[in-house]
């Protein structure tokens, strides 16, 4: 196969996953929340189980007027939704779907690349907050920046633990080195990474930057129409990315029965299982206060992740 054709197929596959998987997660969230909370509306938009709800939402966003505040920095205001999406697209390029060549680009330093790119997300939050020329947006943006910068530390430490255990920064190499008993040995790192990941994508109960009871809608207050839809898409892509990284680093990725033939299916099943837990957290837990959010980060997650890192180093030396 010519090199250009192989590159084209990989890029098209990653873009397709980038566009389709978040929509599936969004539709799933509608249905899961409807069942858990007894909501009737999302179950009737369409002939079967409310299948048309997602289409209705898309049409709604397209029809809404695209408004830019008069005092806003127009260029930065309009660019922020794109900046929120791009890091997740780049991450999906290096996350392996299955064994062999089922990955957009297999990097030897894939984990380092992923953690570096995810850190760009704070830029989109600050861009949208500052450019909106709105005090509620600015307060939400500052909350978001404090939250993202704080929770990056335990997230990196948890990822470093599993990378040390595997002896490689390659995401494919980590999956190949993974063993089932790691579910116990690396369980603290798994919990820290997952919770920090929720905070990084600002999902409930870590949604203080967009607390509607205090900040209208935080850094998203002035966004309407498709630009607001892009931020929502970034949220759902973030769920897919965090679920995919949790699966790759801690749940064995494609490993399972007949993984040589069905490895890609095991990866998708695990990703959607983790995504379901993310949705369940939104329904089950109330929003954390700002002091509770920071206390959880610095007094719980950081010490646990440091302890896990020390344990992993000791085991590696002993072995």
């Amino acid at each position: 196969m010519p090199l250009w054709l192989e590159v084209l197929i990989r890029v098209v596959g990653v873009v397709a996953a980038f566009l389709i998987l978040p929509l599936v997660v969004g539709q799933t969230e509608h249905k899961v929340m409807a069942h858990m909370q007894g909501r009737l509306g999302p179950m009737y938009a369409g002939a079967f189980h409310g299948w048309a709800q997602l289409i209705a939402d898309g049409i709604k966003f397209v029809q809404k007027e695209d408004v830019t505040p008069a005092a806003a920095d127009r260029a930065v205001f309009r660019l922020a939704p794109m900046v929120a999406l791009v890091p997740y697209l780049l991450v999906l390029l290096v996350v392996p779907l299955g064994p062999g060549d089922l990955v957009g680009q297999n990097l030897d330093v894939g984990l380092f690349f992923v953690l570096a790119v995810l850190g760009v997300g704070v830029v989109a939050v600050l861009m949208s907050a500052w450019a909106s020329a709105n005090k509620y947006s600015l307060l939400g943006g500052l909350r978001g920046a404090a939250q993202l910068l704080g929770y990056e530390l335990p997230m990196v430490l948890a990822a470093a633990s599993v990378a040390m255990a595997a002896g490689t920064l390659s995401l494919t190499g980590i999956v190949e080195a993974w063993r089932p008993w790691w579910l116990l040995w690396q369980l603290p790192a798994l919990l820290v990474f997952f919770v920090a990941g929720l905070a990084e994508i600002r999902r409930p109960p870590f949604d203080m930057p967009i607390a509607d009871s205090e900040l209208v809608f935080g850094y998203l207050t002035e966004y309407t129409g498709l630009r607001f839809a892009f931020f929502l898409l970034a949220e759902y892509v973030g769920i897919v990315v965090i679920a995919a990284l949790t699966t790759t680093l801690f749940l064995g990725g494609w490993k399972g029965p007949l993984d040589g033939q069905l490895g890609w299916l095991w990866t998708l099943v695990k990703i959607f299982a983790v995504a379901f837990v993310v949705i369940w957290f939104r329904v089950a837990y109330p929003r954390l206060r700002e002091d509770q959010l920071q206390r959880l980060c610095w007094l719980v997650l950081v010490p646990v992740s440091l302890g896990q890192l020390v344990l992993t180093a000791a085991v590696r030396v002993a072995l």
Side-chain angles (χ1 to χ4, degrees), residues 48-306:
F48 176 73
H49 211 65
W51 64 269
Q53 182 66 50
L54 197 63
I55 298 175
D57 287 341
I59 295 174
K60 174 186 70 175
F61 285 124
V62 170
Q63 290 179 332
K64 285 188 173 182
E65 183 180 3
D66 183 14
V67 177
T68 302
D73 187 325
R74 301 177 72 88
V76 177
F77 181 84
R78 293 177 176 179
L79 185 61
M82 298 297 102
V83 176
L85 282 168
V86 169
Y88 297 130
L89 175 59
L90 295 178
V91 169
L92 289 178
L93 278 171
V94 300
V95 174
L97 181 61
D101 294 330
L102 286 179
V103 59
Q105 180 62 50
N106 187 16
L107 297 180
D108 292 336
V109 290
L111 181 58
F112 178 81
F113 174 82
V114 164
L115 295 175
V117 169
L118 285 179
V120 178
V122 67
V123 177
V125 173
L126 291 175
M127 287 174 63
S128 59
W130 178 259
S132 294
N134 180 301
K135 61 182 180 182
Y136 296 111
S137 297
L138 182 59
L139 287 174
L142 293 177
R143 283 185 180 183
Q147 177 173 317
L148 294 175
L149 292 175
Y151 277 86
E152 276 185 6
L153 178 58
M155 188 176 186
V156 169
L157 291 175
S161 173
V162 73
M164 184 184 298
T168 178
L169 288 174
S170 167
L171 295 179
T172 300
I174 290 174
V175 176
E176 291 173 346
W178 184 88
R179 297 294 181 270
W181 65 279
W182 284 22
L183 290 173
L184 295 177
W185 178 36
Q186 295 294 325
L187 180 60
L190 164 60
L191 297 177
V192 169
F193 186 88
F194 178 73
V195 172
L198 284 182
E200 285 289 306
I201 59 177
R202 301 168 296 283
R203 285 283 300 184
F206 302 97
D207 57 339
M208 279 299 291
I210 54 174
D212 51 350
S213 60
E214 305 168 23
L215 302 178
V216 186
F217 212 57
Y219 61 92
L220 302 179
T221 298
E222 297 292 352
Y223 283 91
T224 59
L226 284 178
R227 300 189 194 280
F228 182 77
F230 287 153
F231 271 113
L232 286 185
L233 177 62
E235 177 181 334
Y236 287 115
V237 180
I239 295 176
V240 173
V241 166
I242 294 302
L245 290 176
T246 303
T247 296
T248 300
L249 297 176
F250 299 99
L251 300 179
W254 64 76
K255 290 192 173 181
L258 301 175
D259 52 18
Q261 297 76 33
L262 300 177
W264 60 271
L265 180 59
W266 286 116
T267 301
L268 291 178
V269 168
K270 293 175 184 178
I271 288 174
F272 281 107
V274 176
F276 174 82
V277 176
V278 174
I279 297 170
W280 173 65
F281 264 61
R282 174 176 181 174
V283 177
Y285 291 96
R287 178 184 298 128
L288 296 176
R289 297 195 314 264
E290 185 67 24
D291 62 314
Q292 293 172 330
L293 188 146
Q294 295 296 339
R295 189 179 300 115
L296 174 64
C297 174
W298 295 105
L299 299 183
V300 178
L301 298 187
V302 171
V304 170
S305 59
L306 286 172

